[in-house]
Amino acid sequence: MKIHCKFFLICIAFLVFCVNLPTFGQGKKTITFGYPFRYEIITNRIDPKLNKTDEDRRFMDILISPEKFNKPNLEVLLNYLSKRFRYPSTFYINVYSDSNDIPKKGELQPIPESKSSYTIKGDIAIFTRSKAEKYFLIYFKDGDFDEVQMK
């Protein structure tokens, strides 16, 4: 009787293993981005609270190709990232079309509309999400500017 029980338990364990084999290692739900352009996350960091009344903030730098940098693609990408990274609620994303515009570690983010001598080499979009609203600003290298409110 003991041999039959052990054999039975081994068979059950083998069947459970075989059934779960195709999904082994896929415990995390993956979110796919099924649009015809690629992007690269350069930085993704969370700044912690400064005090009890403050809240965490997420900062992200993204690089996409200049050919794909346009208002419809930015709306799709920023909505996707906003849904994917829900925490913290305060979220800032800078999207660049030229890697030379990405600030190096320790440098401050240049603001294209400021009266500085800095000129952007590509287009830049700056996304802001708070508890109250979502919007992004687009600075084109030719000097044009656009603001987009998001739902």
Side-chain angles (χ1 to χ4, degrees), residues 81-115:
L81 291 171
S82 186
K83 288 176 185 171
R84 181 171 180 204
F85 297 97
R86 294 174 191 244
Y87 174 81
S89 61
T90 305
F91 191 14
Y92 302 99
I93 304 174
N94 297 321
V95 182
Y96 302 93
S97 67
D98 189 317
S99 61
N100 294 315
D101 288 325
I102 301 171
K104 307 296 182 251
K105 190 170 185 169
E107 290 181 344
L108 294 175
Q109 166 67 39
I111 301 171
E113 65 186 11
S114 68
K115 302 292 183 217

Side-chain angles (χ1 to χ4, degrees), residues 52-86:
K52 289 182 181 179
T53 60
D54 195 17
E55 58 184 53
D56 294 339
R57 295 167 284 285
R58 180 183 297 274
F59 293 91
M60 190 177 283
D61 290 323
I62 305 282
L63 180 65
I64 65 173
S65 68
E67 302 82 37
K68 302 299 181 182
F69 192 99
N70 57 48
K71 189 174 169 180
N73 284 350
L74 288 170
E75 285 184 271
V76 167
L77 175 64
L78 295 171
N79 269 320
Y80 168 73
L81 291 171
S82 186
K83 288 176 185 171
R84 181 171 180 204
F85 297 97
R86 294 174 191 244

Side-chain angles (χ1 to χ4, degrees), residues 16-48:
V16 168
F17 176 77
C18 287
V19 167
N20 289 326
L21 191 59
T23 59
F24 182 75
Q26 297 177 5
K28 293 183 178 179
K29 181 180 177 186
T30 57
I31 301 173
T32 58
F33 186 69
Y35 292 95
F37 63 92
R38 298 174 62 90
Y39 66 94
E40 181 179 357
I41 297 176
I42 306 299
T43 59
N44 179 12
R45 64 184 170 80
I46 295 179
D47 277 355

